[in-house]
Amino acid sequence: MDSISANRRFWNQISSAYQHEHDPQIGAAPRLWGTYAIPDAHLHALGDVTGKRVLELGCGAGQWSRALAAEGATVVGLDLSEAQLAAAARAMGAARYPLVQGAAEHLPFAADSFDLVFCDYGGLSWAPPHLAVPQAARILRRGGRLVFNVASPWFEACYDEAAGRVTTTLHQDYFGLDTIAEDQGAVSYQLTYGDWIKVLRGAGLVIDDLIEPRPEPGTANGYNQTDPPDWAYRWPAEMIWVTHKP
């Protein structure tokens, strides 16, 4: 399914409101993963990026890219939305880095050109993984890593559309989560655990870790309502895949 045009329009339309709502949290501190803003220092997903060539695959307003550039990485921020890239350009600090408009399905970079490709609910949530993962693998150097955070299929399967929240009841078929209709015709993507493994291994990547971030009870979800409030303490809401190219 070609969702590039619809997803680009969607993010162009919501970019300003999204950044107004979420940047005060995700822009306040470096390296915060996911909807619960869990520090990478607790999860150890990325490690040291000093001197590494890094692509953020769906950089939004560049909160992650700014932090990694300030740490000494050579960062490139890619996003489908020109509105999101404009927000990243406005927020860029002293550590400058290039911004590129493009789709995760068709990365405009040479093979073997990055040490790390990563995203936090970025290109691998908003592009078909069976297309985007091989593209990410193609541009990684040997030994380079693909690290990304996406919603857990548990979270998606328990999402009650009518109530607008995640509950303790299964509402969606686990095996029917491939495409998820978002507002204004946009589409996001989700795979089962088994299908993620097939896609990653099919792209020639080695799976090093699967981190299921677990927020402390009382940690607020900055994006979704959950019932009960400690839902993500009890069941996995997100998953960070850590892989490398042998």
Side-chain angles (χ1 to χ4, degrees):
M1 179 176 181
D2 185 356
S3 54
I4 292 174
S5 296
N7 287 354
R8 178 184 173 192
R9 287 194 302 270
F10 174 71
W11 279 103
N12 280 341
Q13 290 168 3
I14 72 166
S15 174
S16 179
Y18 180 91
Q19 297 302 335
H20 178 76
E21 180 177 358
H22 297 296
D23 185 68
Q25 180 183 37
I26 60 178
R31 292 186 179 234
L32 298 179
W33 284 109
T35 59
Y36 289 89
I38 299 177
D40 187 61
H42 296 172
L43 300 177
H44 307 291
L46 282 193
D48 184 16
V49 298
T50 305
K52 298 187 182 300
R53 183 166 167 79
V54 178
L55 174 67
E56 183 174 6
L57 190 62
C59 65
Q63 290 90 352
W64 272 93
S65 287
R66 290 199 306 272
L68 300 191
E71 293 176 21
T74 301
V75 178
V76 177
L78 177 136
D79 205 275
L80 184 60
S81 161
E82 57 265 37
Q84 289 281 74
L85 291 171
R90 289 192 299 270
M92 198 176 294
R96 312 295 293 179
Y97 60 93
L99 297 168
V100 177
Q101 185 174 17
E105 299 96 318
H106 309 289
L107 293 178
F109 304 107
D112 309 314
S113 53
F114 288 93
D115 301 301
L116 171 66
V117 176
F118 83 99
C119 61
D120 186 11
Y121 283 92
L124 292 181
S125 295
W126 294 91
H130 73 282
L131 299 177
V133 169
Q135 282 287 297
R138 177 184 65 82
I139 65 172
L140 280 175
R141 295 168 177 156
R142 189 172 300 276
R145 298 190 302 144
L146 172 65
V147 180
F148 62 96
N149 186 30
V150 292
S152 164
W154 283 70
F155 195 83
E156 298 288 2
C158 291
Y159 191 83
D160 184 341
E161 291 284 353
R165 68 186 62 185
V166 175
T167 73
T168 58
T169 301
L170 293 171
H171 294 279
Q172 320 294 334
D173 290 345
Y174 175 77
F175 293 109
L177 292 174
D178 296 343
T179 59
I180 299 170
E182 305 288 351
D183 293 339
Q184 305 172 46
V187 178
S188 62
Y189 296 86
Q190 178 58 273
L191 300 181
T192 65
Y193 287 98
D195 282 344
W196 274 117
I197 291 170
K198 289 184 180 70
V199 167
L200 292 165
R201 287 177 55 84
L205 297 170
V206 174
I207 299 168
D208 299 309
D209 200 0
L210 172 58
I211 302 169
E212 295 176 297
R214 189 185 190 192
E216 292 298 324
T219 304
N221 184 311
Y223 296 77
N224 302 284
Q225 294 185 12
T226 65
D227 182 16
D230 67 346
W231 195 99
Y233 181 75
R234 302 166 66 183
W235 300 283
E238 303 172 311
M239 51 185 182
I240 301 176
W241 293 90
V242 182
T243 75
H244 78 273
K245 182 177 180 177

